[in-house]
């Protein structure tokens, strides 16, 4: 079962469950387990990436078939359907899709004929077109709401809360007393020369809610959630979170879309509510932040390093991230506990080329890979390398390669994952 957006009044999970049980009864199958991914978008996430379903796809020997209530609960793209069918053929497993327009389920066996596969592809294409139409319609609707200064849903800018629009139609945003006080305290600390890391630590110690958790609290929803494969009871302030809050024009009461102020036909900013900072105060704050960054801020890169999600710091069990070494052809993978608002007792770091060569070599030996190893291969095979903090000192031998005694390599699914694509 899958649902993009979970609300208190939705009946979709129950209807999906009933449809799946009907399918299994019609086909004479015994239902042994459920994979439930609620709040998961099929447009953004393939079946092999979903928290619950992906774990079952990695254990095909435990069942004979997988059933969905409809094709669009399984996939919203032709590419993802192609992946699923290839997976079923490789592992000799059957895919079942219920369909409201037919009285009999659509069953795709490992040896399904061309007509059945084309039918699946046609349904996947229709699901892809449908989600594209919905996305365009929502984009147009939100654009109109932004132009009118109305709140159209989504994460409320920190410092504000939802309020009735003065026109009596819809909603706008108004200052939130609790988070407004936090904003003013943060701005005062920045002007006093306190670093963003120190401010984040202070906020975490005081129990102040991050924007995401404050929004959840105002909506009456639980705090915390899942991020980077880890579950949190509540999220923590980081220097990155603070930077986003402090650099957003929403502090001036501006409607913001993709980081930029929304303007009306005359070029004036569209307002969402009373400003928390005047334009003069906001500009002074930006000057202070720019001076402190010393011109080191870079545009976010869209590429992902090979071992992101694979390399883990032994000190805190957190992900390690690639960092550029200025003037060098290689960089480093380093613990980023401070960026998460945490303190790692033994933060690890290691040259990127050394660690990548080590992991690729071990992976290739295990799966007999003869071609280029990609990040998708490593993630699909659930490769993990734990890196311990290095010892200080050392001589010429230290420049010849990594100290493998610091590294612990493991792989949960030692197959050539590219054959499942």
């Amino acid at each position: 079962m899958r649902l993009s957006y979970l609300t208190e009044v939705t009946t979709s999970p129950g209807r999906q469950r009933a449809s799946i049980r009907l399918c299994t009864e019609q086909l004479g199958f015994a239902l042994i387990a459920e994979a439930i991914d609620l709040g998961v978008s099929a447009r953004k996430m393939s079946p092999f990436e979903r928290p619950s379903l992906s774990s079952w796809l990695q254990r095909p020997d435990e069942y004979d078939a997988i059933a969905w209530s409809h094709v669009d609960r399984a996939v919203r793209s032709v590419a993802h359907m192609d992946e699923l069918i290839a997976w079923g053929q490789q592992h000799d497993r059957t895919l079942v899709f219920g369909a409201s327009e037919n009285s009999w389920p659509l069953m795709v066996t490992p040896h399904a004929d061309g007509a059945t596969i084309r039918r699946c592809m046609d349904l996947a294409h229709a699901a892809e077109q449908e989600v594209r139409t919905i996305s365009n319609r929502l984009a147009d609707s939100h654009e109109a709401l932004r132009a009118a200064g109305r709140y159209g849903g989504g994460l409320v800018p920190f410092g504000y809360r939802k309020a009735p629009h003065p026109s009596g139609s819809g909603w706008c945003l108004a200052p939130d007393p609790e988070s407004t006080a936090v904003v003013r305290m943060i701005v005062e600390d920045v002007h006093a020369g306190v670093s963003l890391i120190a401010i984040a630590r202070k906020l975490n110690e005081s129990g102040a809610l991050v924007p995401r958790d404050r929004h959840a609290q105002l909506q009456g929803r639980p705090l915390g959630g899942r991020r980077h494969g880890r579950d949190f009871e509540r999220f923590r302030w980081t220097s990155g979170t603070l930077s986003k809050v402090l650099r957003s024009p929403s502090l001036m009461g501006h409607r913001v879309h993709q980081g930029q102020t929304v303007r009306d036909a005359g070029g004036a900013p569209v307002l969402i509510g009373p400003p928390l900072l005047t334009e003069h105060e906001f500009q002074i704050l930006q000057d202070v932040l720019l001076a402190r960054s010393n011109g080191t801020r870079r545009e976010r890169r869209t590429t992902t390093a090979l071992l992101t999600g694979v390399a883990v710091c032994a000190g805190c069990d957190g992900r390690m991230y690639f960092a550029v070494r200025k003037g060098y052809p290689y960089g480093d993978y380093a613990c980023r506990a401070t960026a998460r608002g945490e303190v790692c007792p033994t933060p690890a770091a290691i040259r990127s080329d050394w660690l990548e060569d080590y992991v690729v070599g071990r992976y290739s030996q295990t799966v007999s890979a003869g071609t280029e190893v990609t990040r998708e291969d490593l993630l699909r095979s659930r490769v993990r390398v734990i890196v311990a903090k290095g010892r200080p000192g050392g001589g010429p031998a230290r420049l010849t390669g990594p100290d493998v005694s610091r590294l612990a390599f493991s792989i949960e699914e030692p197959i050539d994952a590219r054959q499942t694509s």
Side-chain angles (χ1 to χ4, degrees):
M1 298 190 296
R2 184 198 62 77
L3 187 65
S4 297
Y5 300 102
L6 180 63
T7 66
E8 294 181 356
V9 298
T10 184
T11 60
S12 179
R15 287 184 282 110
Q16 289 184 51
R17 181 180 286 112
S19 175
I20 291 168
R21 287 182 175 174
L22 177 60
C23 286
T24 58
E25 290 173 2
Q26 289 175 312
L27 298 173
F29 291 160
L31 187 62
I32 64 168
E34 291 181 337
I36 305 175
D37 290 306
L38 303 182
V40 174
S41 169
R43 180 175 65 89
K44 299 178 181 178
M45 195 174 291
S46 82
F48 298 91
E49 298 171 324
R50 296 170 201 164
S52 182
L53 178 58
S54 64
S55 65
W56 284 98
L57 291 173
Q58 291 160 10
R59 310 195 307 274
D61 295 338
E62 298 182 17
Y63 50 89
D64 299 308
I66 302 180
W68 290 267
S69 63
H70 196 271
V71 166
D72 61 12
R73 298 302 96 192
V75 299
R76 283 282 192 175
S77 79
V78 172
H80 291 167
M81 177 61 81
D82 184 58
E83 285 183 324
L84 264 184
I85 292 176
W87 174 89
Q89 291 172 340
Q90 180 186 3
H91 296 288
D92 197 28
R93 293 297 174 262
T94 295
L95 311 177
V96 178
F97 307 101
S100 58
E101 65 272 17
N102 294 323
S103 58
W104 194 257
L106 173 61
M107 186 164 61
V108 187
T109 67
H111 306 290
D113 58 25
T116 301
I117 292 177
R118 282 194 297 274
R119 174 64 177 153
C120 281
M121 290 300 184
D122 288 342
L123 289 171
H125 181 263
E128 184 173 335
Q129 293 298 109
E130 181 185 25
V131 76
R132 190 171 297 159
T133 300
I134 293 172
S135 178
N136 291 338
R137 189 182 302 129
L138 286 174
D140 292 341
S141 174
H142 282 284
E143 184 177 354
L145 289 171
R146 285 194 297 271
R150 287 188 172 89
Y151 169 65
L155 186 64
V156 174
F158 193 64
Y160 292 90
R161 63 186 302 166
K162 190 170 72 169
H165 195 274
S167 68
S169 173
W171 300 89
C172 66
L173 299 179
D176 169 35
E178 183 174 321
S179 52
T180 295
V182 175
V183 169
R184 295 198 177 281
M185 184 273 289
I186 295 171
V187 173
E188 290 175 2
D189 281 350
V190 169
H191 286 304
V194 183
S195 72
L196 295 187
I197 291 177
I199 295 174
R201 187 178 301 118
K202 176 181 175 181
L203 291 170
N204 289 325
E205 291 172 352
S206 70
L209 296 179
V210 301
R212 182 169 168 179
D213 278 344
R214 178 57 177 164
H215 179 67
Q217 185 182 60
L218 291 171
Q219 296 292 316
R221 294 188 282 104
L223 307 184
R226 191 170 184 85
R227 178 182 288 170
H228 301 315
R230 299 173 63 191
D231 292 314
F232 296 87
E233 291 185 4
R234 58 188 292 172
F235 294 109
R236 297 175 63 84
W237 285 94
T238 67
S239 58
T241 303
L242 282 169
S243 182
K244 289 179 182 178
V245 170
L246 295 172
R247 296 179 187 277
S248 174
S250 63
L251 293 177
M252 297 182 288
H254 292 187
R255 167 70 67 190
V256 175
H257 179 57
Q258 296 183 346
Q260 302 296 319
T261 294
V262 176
R263 300 183 180 276
D264 60 22
V270 175
L271 300 181
I272 56 173
L276 307 184
L277 299 178
T278 67
E279 291 192 17
H280 180 64
E281 290 171 331
F282 182 78
Q283 190 55 57
I284 291 176
L285 176 63
Q286 302 313 300
D287 292 342
V288 171
L289 293 172
L290 181 61
R292 289 168 61 165
S293 69
N294 196 26
T296 58
R297 292 190 81 234
R298 297 186 297 271
E299 292 295 322
R300 182 181 294 271
R301 299 184 305 164
T302 57
T303 56
T304 303
L306 178 66
L307 301 184
T308 300
V310 175
V312 177
C313 173
C316 61
D317 198 35
R319 286 186 178 185
M320 299 177 71
Y321 291 90
F322 179 82
V324 175
R325 275 200 198 186
K326 191 173 182 179
Y328 288 85
Y330 53 83
D332 296 284
Y333 285 98
C335 172
R336 293 290 305 277
T338 55
R340 300 192 302 270
E342 302 173 1
V343 177
C344 177
T346 54
I350 188 171
R351 267 180 55 166
S352 62
D353 56 339
W354 286 353
L355 189 60
E356 289 176 355
D357 288 346
Y358 168 81
V359 171
V360 169
R362 291 293 303 272
Y363 177 80
S364 298
Q365 291 172 3
T366 305
V367 304
S368 300
T371 58
E372 180 183 0
V373 176
T374 67
R375 178 171 176 261
E376 288 69 29
D377 294 333
L378 300 176
L379 293 176
R380 191 174 291 119
S381 297
R382 306 194 66 142
V383 173
R384 179 181 172 98
V385 58
I386 301 176
V387 184
K389 183 178 176 65
R391 295 184 295 273
R398 184 169 181 165
L399 301 177
T400 61
D403 176 6
V404 295
S405 66
R406 298 172 52 196
L407 310 177
F409 178 91
S410 64
I411 179 171
E412 292 189 19
E413 196 72 19
I415 61 173
D416 189 342
R418 282 163 301 212
Q419 294 178 358
T420 69
S421 300

